[in-house]
Each structure stands twice: as structure tokens, then as C-alpha cells.
Amino acid sequence: MIDALPPAVALVAAAAFGALIGSFLNVCIYRLPLGKSIVWPASACPHCNRELFWYENIPIASYVALRGRCRTCAGPISIRYPLIEALTAAMFALAWWYYGPGLLLVSRLVFGCALLVLFAIDLEHHLLPNAITLPGIIVGFAFSVFTEPGWLASLIGILVGGGILFLVAEAYYRVRREEGLGMGDVKMLAMVGAFVGWQLTLLTLMLASFSGTIIGLALIITKRGGMKYALPFGTFIALGAAAAATVGPAVLRWYLGLL
Ligand SMILES: [Zn+2]
């Protein structure tokens, strides 16, 4: 199979496969917040509803060839489409190189795809769909029975990840009488726990809170948003989890070495 190919060819194949998956992730990102089916009907122009031909659906290449416009109505095609396709392609190639073939690679790629979809939807709609987070918890736990971090660390990860954010959300609500953190964030961090285990989930939460605070302060200082500007925390959880799942173990070893 793919691991029998020369390394450079395997990387290109992984990237090409990733671009195709990215094309599907775009469908999820566009349709899930609208409550539409992700399997039916075929992709169409959001402006004139004309169904796309197969050659208008080639990842990245079609966007470039069409110069970002629909051939029928000249309506603009969001730059999000080629961006997500390129990101997914890069993620597949990097993960292939970093993890090597095996079940951990598959687990991390499924996890990465879920994070990418949640990141994009939360950024635009301030929403983390149950259709991703709830199956994500189950799938993450199922992978963990057979590969890292093991079923026990995964189970504790689900309880710790979901539990901490649930308590924070409850405390915030009782003090401020308004919702600061949504239950979507709670379920998303439980999903992170299922895939990477409780240690890396705590690291994810630290990274997400830290980067969220920095960006939040920057927005306040530059007066782009007041204290109550609702920053979508899920986007920071996604970034933190991506870092934790890749360089996290090295960071933890370094940190424990300091103690
Ligand atoms: Zn159109």
C-alpha cells in the first residue's frame, strides 16, 4: 500500500488524499450549521443553486481556475474552500511524516478533521455542533482502546475535560447570570479528552486559556471588542488540542523534568 511507496511519493499521495477529505470537510462546515444533510444533494453554487460539475469540484485547482467565481452567476466563492482544502492536505502529509503508518495516524487524522470543522464553524457561527462533538467522544474512546493514550486515560480525559469546563460554565453562570461558556465547549473538551487522554487535555486547556487571554487582551487594547465580546473559545480549544496532540508529549516530558 502507501507505505511501500518512495517517501516523497507517499507524502504527495497523502496530501492529495487530504485535499479530497478537505473538500468533504468544506461540505460539513457549510451545511452542519444550516441543519442540512452532508451526504445529499450534490454540491451547488450557494448563489444561483446550479449543481457543480465534477471539474468544478477539484480541490484547490478549481478555485484557482475559476478565479474564485461561479461560472454561471459570477457569484464569489469563499476563500475558505481552497484554504480548508490546502490545510487538510498539509495536515495529512505532516501527520503521515510525523506519526508514520498505523492506527495512531488514523486516530490523529480523524481527530484533526473534527478539530478543523469545529474551528471553522465556531469562528463563523459561534457554534459547536453536537453532530461532531458527541460522535467524536465515542470514536475517540474507541480508538483509545487500541492505541494511545489507552482506554483508562481516555475515559479520565472525557470526565476531566468535560467536567472542568462544566464547573467553569456553571460557576460563571451563577456569578454573572449569563452564559459565558457554552455546553458545546464542554462537549468539545470531552472529545479532546477521549482522543488524547487527560494529561494532554489539561495541556490543551492551558494552551487554549493562555492564547484566548492574549488574543482577548489584544482585542480590548486595540478596542476591537469590549470585555463582553464573546470570543469563540472552541477555536482556541482546537488550536490548543492540535498543539497538544503533536508536540504535547515532548512539552510534558520537559515540564516534568523541571520538577
Ligand atoms: Zn452561481
Side-chain angles (χ1 to χ4, degrees):
M1 283 278 291
I2 185 172
D3 51 319
L5 298 170
V9 179
L11 275 183
V12 172
F17 183 61
L20 285 174
I21 298 289
S23 188
F24 173 68
L25 299 187
N26 272 320
V27 174
C28 297
I29 291 165
Y30 174 65
R31 294 189 187 176
L32 279 179
L34 303 177
K36 291 182 179 175
S37 162
I38 55 171
V39 287
W40 184 91
S43 294
C45 168
H47 306 289
C48 66
N49 270 323
R50 179 180 59 80
E51 225 175 78
L52 300 183
F53 295 109
W54 66 268
Y55 55 83
E56 293 173 299
N57 240 335
I58 301 166
I60 306 166
S62 291
Y63 182 88
V64 175
L66 296 170
R67 292 193 209 91
R69 299 208 164 265
C70 169
R71 276 172 57 237
T72 310
C73 71
I77 305 166
S78 171
I79 185 78
R80 188 186 68 222
Y81 290 92
L83 270 182
I84 294 286
E85 284 154 2
L87 260 172
T88 316
M91 178 171 82
F92 272 61
L94 277 171
W96 172 265
W97 167 77
Y98 189 76
Y99 295 107
L103 195 58
L104 184 62
L105 172 73
V106 182
S107 170
R108 288 293 195 256
L109 284 177
V110 171
F111 184 46
C113 288
L115 291 178
L116 203 53
V117 170
L118 290 172
F119 176 89
I121 294 179
D122 202 28
L123 190 64
E124 193 172 346
H125 302 275
H126 289 205
L127 193 77
L128 296 163
N130 284 338
I132 301 286
T133 53
L134 294 182
I137 294 172
I138 296 164
V139 171
F141 180 76
F143 271 118
S144 300
V145 173
F146 302 102
T147 182
E148 283 180 34
W151 72 271
L152 186 60
S154 169
L155 186 63
I156 299 173
I158 295 169
L159 298 174
V160 167
I164 290 182
L165 280 195
F166 181 77
L167 291 178
V168 172
E170 274 293 302
Y172 188 92
Y173 183 76
R174 297 214 172 160
V175 175
R176 300 287 294 270
R177 290 277 148 210
E178 60 182 78
E179 208 171 81
L181 270 177
M183 283 303 122
D185 301 295
V186 172
K187 286 171 256 182
M188 183 177 178
L189 200 63
M191 182 194 89
V192 172
F195 273 98
V196 300
W198 64 272
Q199 293 101 327
L200 293 178
T201 300
L202 293 178
L203 182 65
T204 298
L205 187 58
M206 276 170 55
L207 293 172
S209 310
F210 185 70
S211 53
T213 307
I214 300 280
I215 302 283
L217 284 176
L219 288 178
I220 290 166
I221 290 166
T222 57
K223 304 246 192 324
R224 281 168 194 269
M227 282 297 276
K228 285 178 64 180
Y229 183 80
L231 281 167
F233 192 54
T235 57
F236 295 108
I237 298 178
L239 294 174
T246 47
V247 296
V251 172
L252 283 185
R253 272 195 302 277
W254 168 79
Y255 180 71
L256 293 174
L258 289 181
L259 299 178

